[in-house]
Amino acid sequence: APCDIVATADAKGYCAEAADKTETELVSVPAVLLELVDSPDPVRLGTETVYTITVTNQGTATDTNVAITAELEKFDYVTSTGPTTASVSGKTIKFAPLATLPVGASETWTVRAKSAATGDVRFKVTMRTDNLLDERPVEETEATRVFEESELLRSRTK
């Protein structure tokens, strides 16, 4: 939150007096970093990977109502963890907003998912907070390679 800093100076001399005052508004701002990793990657068809979502406040003020939404592609939801609860609808996982994220703090959510189709698939995370200036969300996407056991065997025999 902004605060005002007021500085005043008075000078008195033998034949003169002077006084002045200056005001400065000190503003602090949150600045959130969104990071996303998957492990393991690549994954064999029908096995699981864990997506780890980390949000860090690198700013100088607390951020509020940090809301995370994740979208699965060619994966089936298994479970999730984090500082807020998740609701799942199809391939979309919405975590309840985190009320506050203090300066320098990090919070982590995870989504465990089971691969349902082969290929180069994406896991997309969208983050919204009260303090994003133009209200656009922050988005991050993680690529995961899903392969069949036969692909692995074929590549070893060439």
Side-chain angles (χ1 to χ4, degrees), residues 18-98:
D20 203 356
K21 177 172 97 172
T22 184
E23 293 183 24
T24 302
E25 181 182 34
L26 179 62
V27 179
S28 55
V29 293
V32 289
L33 169 67
L34 174 64
E35 297 176 291
L36 175 60
V37 295
D38 58 348
S39 182
D41 182 11
V43 296
R44 192 174 61 245
L45 180 62
T47 64
E48 296 178 358
T49 194
V50 175
Y51 293 99
T52 302
I53 305 156
T54 304
V55 178
T56 304
N57 185 350
Q58 303 175 108
T60 57
T62 296
D63 206 342
T64 55
N65 292 318
V66 179
I68 301 293
T69 301
E71 297 176 33
L72 293 165
E73 178 185 277
K74 298 182 183 179
F75 272 81
D76 294 324
Y77 175 82
V78 176
T79 189
S80 56
T81 64
T84 60
T85 58
S87 62
V88 181
S89 177
K91 302 279 186 183
T92 302
I93 303 103
K94 287 186 177 186
F95 290 95
L98 179 67

Side-chain angles (χ1 to χ4, degrees), residues 95-127:
F95 290 95
L98 179 67
T100 60
L101 186 62
V103 174
S106 292
E107 290 291 350
T108 301
W109 293 262
T110 64
V111 174
R112 180 177 294 275
K114 184 176 180 180
S115 59
T118 59
D120 183 21
V121 300
R122 299 290 184 268
F123 180 77
K124 180 181 176 183
V125 172
T126 303
M127 176 183 67

